[in-house]
Amino acid sequence: GAGAGQWRTDDQRQQTAGAAGQAGGLQRAGSDERKLEKATERMDVDLLVLDLEDGVAPNRKQEARELVRARLASFSDVAAAGDGAAQSSALGRHVERCVRMNHVGSGLEQEDVAQCLLPSLAKLDSVLLPKVEQPRQLQELAAALAPNVPDGQSVGIIAAIESAKGIVNLKEICSTAMPDNVPLTGLVYASEDLCADMGITRSDSRTELLYTRGAVVAHAKAFGLDAIDLVCIDFRDMHRLELEAAEGASMGYTGKQAIHPGQVATIIRAFSPSPEKAEWARRIVAGFQEHAAVGAGAYSLDGVMIDMPMVKWAEKVLRQVQGL
């Protein structure tokens, strides 16, 4: 799954990974020094993914590890940055720092860990682990990272679901026992790799993805994880991007992958509450509080019956607004 995650953080995600929130993100190949430098100077994203996997040619893996490690070394420590410490680049603390490593079983993961991740843990918020199919892969990575995570910090693991095995094992993956300082924090729906694995033919309607796309978001919600939707591979087609982003948001995804900086603003808009939606949510909560104060339960607002599920929805919307 190529692409950069764009997603909004829920309460559990904030507590477990220590990140400030993820509404917009950008992924850049670790072997491209120019793009790497430009990406780390962006201020309009909330997640920065530095790639060691598919975006890097096999003969440039070592170069990518060294460049990513050097770029991360220029940042303040995660703990210090959380207190507003100055950075040596324009990257603000609201940008979550993430590295996409090579998958467990690739033969490249041990060098990724030893030469890039371990020396950089104080600078990292999360690691994106590709091609997750079973709990063992998460546990092996967590076992390598956990003893080395600085005290008081946590480094989340984001699992990319890219195969039929990953789909059918979602419950086991999401319920994997993880160390407190290396929790599982999110799922990525890697549609292109999944289609290749399953022999799915893509269509403009995306109906062929309904089952697997729904399975990923349902499991993410059930286990309190971020859910990052599919990438729009035609980065010049902004109309399609808008449709896909709105669709993903309506399904319950908390964000969407991007492969080009030009996609970022559209994705952020789609996954952020509109002013009208925020005002409606505010009125629902305010009305509930007024009625609850006099012992009333459900009530009517503009001809709409407001009950507890609606109130919970409104409260989530307002938490999103507060996180912007």
Side-chain angles (χ1 to χ4, degrees):
Q6 318 251 348
W7 57 94
R8 183 62 66 195
T9 303
D10 60 20
D11 290 343
Q12 179 181 11
R13 180 71 181 90
Q14 292 175 358
Q15 294 166 4
T16 58
Q22 306 162 326
L26 181 66
Q27 181 169 299
R28 278 294 177 256
S31 58
D32 192 324
E33 187 170 9
R34 182 183 63 84
K35 289 184 178 179
L36 199 61
E37 184 173 355
K38 288 181 65 177
T40 54
E41 291 174 350
R42 293 181 64 93
M43 292 297 290
D44 58 347
V45 297
D46 293 289
L47 176 73
L48 175 65
V49 182
L50 306 181
D51 190 22
L52 302 178
E53 199 219 10
D54 285 351
V56 178
N59 63 347
R60 301 190 68 186
K61 295 290 187 181
Q62 183 57 32
E63 178 185 2
R65 295 181 189 112
E66 294 170 0
L67 287 173
V68 169
R69 185 177 67 238
R71 177 52 55 178
L72 288 169
S74 71
F75 302 157
S76 302
D77 287 357
V78 167
D83 294 327
Q87 306 254 350
S88 60
S89 76
L91 185 65
R93 176 58 190 94
H94 68 280
V95 179
E96 178 171 337
R97 306 96 170 256
C98 178
V99 170
R100 181 170 75 161
M101 61 180 289
N102 290 280
H103 72 273
V104 173
S106 66
L108 300 168
E109 72 274 21
Q110 293 183 355
E111 294 301 314
D112 288 349
V113 170
Q115 298 186 33
C116 186
L117 299 184
L118 292 184
S120 306
L121 282 177
K123 317 289 186 177
L124 279 177
D125 293 293
S126 58
V127 176
L128 176 54
L129 183 61
K131 300 176 175 63
V132 175
E133 296 184 337
Q134 52 188 311
R136 176 186 58 80
Q137 295 167 291
L138 297 174
Q139 292 171 328
E140 287 186 16
L141 177 58
L145 300 183
N148 301 285
V149 174
D151 291 341
Q153 183 187 336
S154 62
V155 176
I157 296 181
I158 303 166
I161 306 302
E162 310 188 23
S163 68
K165 287 184 179 179
I167 293 292
V168 299
N169 289 334
L170 273 167
K171 182 178 179 180
E172 289 75 17
I173 290 167
C174 292
S175 58
T176 302
M178 301 287 282
D180 290 341
N181 61 351
V182 188
L184 177 65
T185 56
L187 300 178
V188 171
Y189 179 60
S191 59
E192 300 309 309
D193 297 88
L194 185 62
C195 287
D197 180 71
M198 295 180 63
I200 294 173
T201 300
R202 289 295 301 271
S203 71
D204 290 340
S205 69
R206 295 175 293 283
T207 54
E208 69 279 1
L209 303 179
L210 280 175
Y211 171 72
T212 54
R213 198 177 179 191
V216 169
V217 70
H219 282 82
K221 295 296 183 179
F223 289 89
L225 306 174
D226 286 328
I228 304 96
D229 197 16
L230 56 85
V231 63
C232 181
I233 57 175
D234 187 351
F235 61 86
R236 295 182 181 87
D237 190 341
M238 301 309 292
H239 178 65
R240 177 176 176 178
L241 176 64
E242 290 174 358
L243 290 176
E244 284 190 10
E247 188 177 75
S250 71
M251 291 181 70
Y253 274 91
T254 44
K256 182 176 179 63
Q257 301 169 74
I259 56 172
H260 190 276
Q263 297 178 316
V264 172
T266 298
I267 291 173
I268 290 176
R269 283 196 302 272
F271 286 89
S272 300
S274 67
E276 295 79 13
K277 185 177 181 179
E279 176 61 16
W280 176 241
R282 187 197 64 77
R283 292 181 63 206
I284 288 174
V285 172
F288 171 76
Q289 292 171 345
E290 291 174 4
H291 284 78
V294 295
Y299 71 99
S300 177
L301 179 62
D302 294 350
V304 177
M305 182 59 65
I306 306 298
D307 56 8
M308 188 52 66
M310 284 286 289
V311 174
K312 290 181 178 179
W313 169 87
E315 289 173 342
K316 285 187 177 181
V317 170
L318 293 181
R319 285 198 295 270
Q320 280 188 289
V321 173
Q322 291 168 1
L324 290 175

